[in-house]
Amino acid sequence: MSSRRSRRATRWRALLALAVVALSLYAALTTPARLGLDLRGGTRIVLETRDSPLAGADAEATDRTLEVLRRRVDGLGVAEPSLARSGERRIVVELPGLQDPRQAAEVIGRTAQLAFHPVTGTTDGPAPAQGLAAAPSDGSRELPDPDAPGRYLRLGPPALTGEGVKDARASLDTQSGRGWSVDLSFRSAAGDAWAGLTGAAACAAPADPARRVAIVLDDRIVSAPGMQSGVPCGQGITGGTTQITGGFSAGEARDLAALVQGGALPVPVTVIEQSTVGPTLGAEAIRASAWAAVIGLACTAAFVIAVYRLLGLLATVALVLYGLISYAAVVSLGATLTLPGLAGFVLAIGIAVDANVLVFERAREEYTKPGAVLRGGQRDLRRPLATGFAKAWSAVADSNVTTLLAAGLLFAFATGPVKGFGVTLSIGVLASMVSAMVITRLLAEWAVRRPAVARRPAVTGMATTGRLRTRLARRPPRLMRRHLRRWPALCAGLVLLALAGIGLRGLDFGVEFTGGRVAQYGTAQRVDADAARAAVVEAGFPQAVVQSTGDTGVSVRIKETGDGEQQRIRAALTEVTGELSVERDELIGPSLGSELRRYALIAFGLAVAAQLLYLTVRFRWTYAAAAVIAMVQDVLIVLGLFAWLGRPVDSVFLAALLTVVGYSVNDTVVVLDRLRELRRTSTVPSWAELADRAVAQTLPRTVNTGMGALFVLIALAFLGGDSLTDFSVALLAGVLVGTASTVFTAMPVTVLLQERYPKQPPAGRPTGKAPSGRTGAASDARDRSGAVV
């Protein structure tokens, strides 16, 4: 009966795996990936609506503003633009291929209040306090005459506004030689108003200023044409059309047409974030990440095969299918693949090894322990493999849930491309569980049933314990029994060193957290950083941070965010380096920077609280406290390392830091699971001795999993380019520190807490105390926590 259930379960797993792989292959081949602007190049602008005297910037006003902006963006001629409301007062505009952020910000951010005024006279200077805000109650005003510098036109109340414009198009008049102009067409009622306005102007004398009609855009006269002699008095220009002239260039005419066509914004908007990425940089990022994925996967595969032989080969096949499943899930969900998202995708390859290593190490233990079942004079391979999958499930589930908590917080509190990292990391974690617990199991169970494999158990990798496990069995570690209090004290010293770096050198927050602007330029020749810095200082920016990026590049970070300042810097650098190309240009407003800092602190606080709550439910509060203490230590050490190195702390670093949180707890959970299992099944009363055993039994898994992640991260660090170097360094440090903190912080703290706060049995039951007054295995066996690992 048991054999029949096993075969039925295998068939269901085979059907599930086949269905998942087939659907993933279909999605990967038929659905194109949606690339973020940091990968395909373009401009991303985040606008925030503001209250005006006439309307509040609520969600409804923001939606109306979004529709106006959509019409303006369509007038820019950008292919596949994307506009979406974010929250109640923010609008995210993505313009693929547009490399001039000044043009985009000027066109989509202006209020575009268009009006047509009769001209009542001229003056040689403006009246006091003139302007839109101080206009007389009758709507008249004085504005500079575009055709005569120093002279002002006195305008009457507007006879027609931009609401009456039906269409606006830029056109080139080659016959009359007027150059570029904007052709307008009016709606029916507005056409009649235009005829009345021009008809009244045509009745004035030829030299009278009243013969002109002023076309005003945002309190500036863009054109004030006089009525030609052919325009009949009282009848005006009929047909519902007109033309705005003014010596426009092609770009100015198109921008004006886009503004008029879009109409006026219901409420004012301000740019709080702006980023531009050149197409070359995006293509290089994709190529570098692809090479990092290939090389990292190849090194990981070679390592896994060397350690686990046939099972390692099957796990490599499952890893390749895991990559297919993850990619298919990303494109099927319509998620935007960003540069941090690519990094999360590559990183998840290393994380996916963890579940396979957990299973294989448990299978090795089951195969080599005394009393294993024999079949045909040899030990049975199938039973230890099945037991390995069963016992590893709890650790796999717990460790992946902790990583998902960190990824979920990234998605909830991060902005822009870092959200993509949270999405791809979450998808990668879920896909790794399917890969390891379904596909790898299916392949492994099929392989061990082959007679040729059964006759040669060594080929599977299960028949050997491995060099590390053999050495640990020969000389068991006595870390907790001999130096229990020494390790936490040593780790506390490292934390103090990290805090000293943070206090003495400070954290170099990126523009995401401080506000400001950073631009990265590409040059045709090698850049001298000192000469570039001197040029920027001479241009009037002594506080600018100027650094070389690669052999032919330079980046400049300043507090000022205006486009004018950026043009001055670019002009100064051009004199030193020659022709420049903008590879990346990021602007963050100060209000958004403070908001992102606040969200970063909230995300980290919630990460700590979520991990503590989850581990308390799954284990006991003493276990959870030890894991969280180790995790906080890892975060502080990574922060201290970046402080000492002077590396920037930005949103991508935040993604790496929250991933370190997930990885640190992931690693600790595996050892705590084993400690819980040993406490239930062992008669040894000493927590210190049990902790040493737990460390010795799980250390091979810890080392092998860490190696799998390190291969991928090293490949990212060397091949991922400047954009991913800091990300990779933070994760490399996190993996190394997280592995060490599990042994030297989490386990000693767990032992100390358990000895000080032993779990008491329910009232009316025997205490089951062991020698030395400590809680014995019998009482701890009644722990209400989950399954055995």
Side-chain angles (χ1 to χ4, degrees), residues 536-556:
V536 173
V537 171
E538 188 176 350
F541 303 95
Q543 303 299 322
V545 178
V546 183
Q547 297 174 325
S548 297
T549 57
D551 293 333
T552 58
V554 61
S555 69
V556 181

Side-chain angles (χ1 to χ4, degrees), residues 63 229 252 342 434 452:
D63 284 335
S229 58
E252 291 171 341
L342 268 182
V434 174

